[in-house]
Amino acid sequence: AGPSRAEPPPHPYRSAVTELASQLLRSLTSRCLDRPDDADAKGLLEEFVRDLLLLLGRPEWPAAPLVLTLLSKLLCRRMERKAEVAVSRRDSKDAKAEREEQAARLLSLDLLGQVLAAVVAQRKLHADAPLTFPDDKDEVDEAAQPTDAGEDATCVCGRGYDGGFMLDCDRCHRWFHGSCVGIEAQEDDLPSEWFCESCQLSRAVTKQRTTISRLLSLAEGGGGPSEETVDALCSEEEVTKQLLLNFLEASSAEPAAAASAHALLLCQWHFDASEQQQPGQGGAVLCRLYEEQQAAHALRCRGPHELRAAHARSVPLLSRERIL
């Protein structure tokens, strides 16, 4: 038999990001739950969870879901362990220890309830107002009014026409209250062309897919990419990821914070692609894409000289700055 192949090194997202977060959370929960009667320790853990819930879903803080997931697992394990310890100490009639264990379990249960309530609320928001990608309206009456038959005047508020100023999207031609979209009728420079948020996203997705296909064709020497490669990189999920990176690059957040969020997202996506049960060509292509994007982003963060050198290299990046 030939020599055994060495095991590949663990992915940085597992060996570094997840492990460091787990160590921090184990230290925090142990410090606070071992002293459930200490108001300062209890308040520290409660404020930590409250801050995490405020950051949940914000692109600038992509670690929040990971930290909440790890923290929830630790709280569940803590409840199970505390229950076993409480039973053993009940035999010794240690009333003080029993009260501490009960207080720690109640605190863990309360925090888990807050996390679950926030997750359910977010899921409900997504279900009530999902992302939509409207199609172009083929037949359009340029003189139509929001009260005409066949016109969609529901607006984002759901109130419909109320006698006030409304304008229609130039793509899907749905009507919106000017006050709901930040455009007043008295403005001297009303936009000659206006698109609702859903159509802005839809237009961005269309342009991004076109860019992806073109860049893939260039990378393949003009021969064109395989259908599997195009499907892997042009899925709605992958295009949305690219738009998220573009948002971070164009955001007004601190450069260091935006760069860290950018790097963490790419690291997480690379890990997910490499951990697919059957990554195949699609998973391999995605891994290469994320590696190239991270290398180029690191060069952009180093300074003008390295940035010029990066542009001199022909790296097939898929992100376009300020796409929205």
Side-chain angles (χ1 to χ4, degrees), residues 2 5 16 24 62 78 103 147 157 179 185 195 201 211 213 222 226 231 243 251 261 267-268 280 285 299 303 320:
R5 298 178 62 181
L24 171 65
R78 185 76 182 198
T147 54
C157 64
S179 57
F195 300 99
L201 182 58
T211 303
S213 298
S226 66
D231 290 341
L243 297 178
S251 69
C267 184
Q268 179 182 355
V285 169
L299 286 175
R320 297 188 296 108

Side-chain angles (χ1 to χ4, degrees), residues 42-43 47-48 71 84 87 103 133 151 155 161 171 217-218 223-224 230 254 260 307:
K42 178 182 178 182
E47 287 295 327
F48 181 73
L71 178 61
E84 296 172 357
V87 170
F133 300 88
E151 294 295 312
C155 188
Y161 181 70
R171 187 174 185 274
S217 298
L218 293 175
V230 174
E254 289 293 329
S260 297
L307 181 59

Side-chain angles (χ1 to χ4, degrees), residues 15-90:
S15 62
V17 177
T18 304
E19 182 58 32
L20 288 175
S22 298
Q23 291 178 8
L24 171 65
L25 292 173
R26 283 194 294 267
S27 175
L28 177 64
T29 54
S30 176
R31 172 188 173 187
C32 296
L33 294 178
D34 285 345
R35 298 181 295 171
D37 294 333
D38 187 334
D40 292 337
K42 178 182 178 182
L44 174 64
L45 188 56
E46 290 176 335
E47 287 295 327
F48 181 73
V49 172
R50 190 173 296 113
D51 289 344
L52 280 176
L53 295 179
L54 289 175
L55 300 177
L56 186 62
R58 297 190 179 186
E60 301 91 337
W61 299 93
L66 170 65
V67 175
L68 277 174
T69 299
L70 296 174
L71 178 61
S72 299
K73 292 179 179 179
L74 288 174
L75 292 176
C76 289
R77 293 172 187 170
R78 185 76 182 198
M79 290 180 63
E80 295 174 356
R81 186 170 69 87
K82 287 295 185 180
E84 296 172 357
V85 174
V87 170
S88 64
R89 289 184 175 179
R90 192 177 296 120

Side-chain angles (χ1 to χ4, degrees), residues 131-135 171 197-213 233-244 246 318 320 323-324:
L131 285 178
T132 58
F133 300 88
D135 296 325
R171 187 174 185 274
E197 289 187 352
S198 294
C199 284
Q200 289 183 51
L201 182 58
S202 186
R203 282 160 53 88
V205 168
T206 301
K207 292 179 180 178
Q208 189 77 354
R209 287 182 175 177
T210 302
T211 303
I212 288 174
S213 298
L233 293 179
C234 293
S235 67
E236 183 176 305
E237 179 181 0
E238 291 307 316
V239 171
T240 304
K241 288 179 181 179
Q242 300 307 312
L243 297 178
L244 181 58
N246 295 340
L318 304 189
R320 297 188 296 108
I323 192 168
L324 289 178

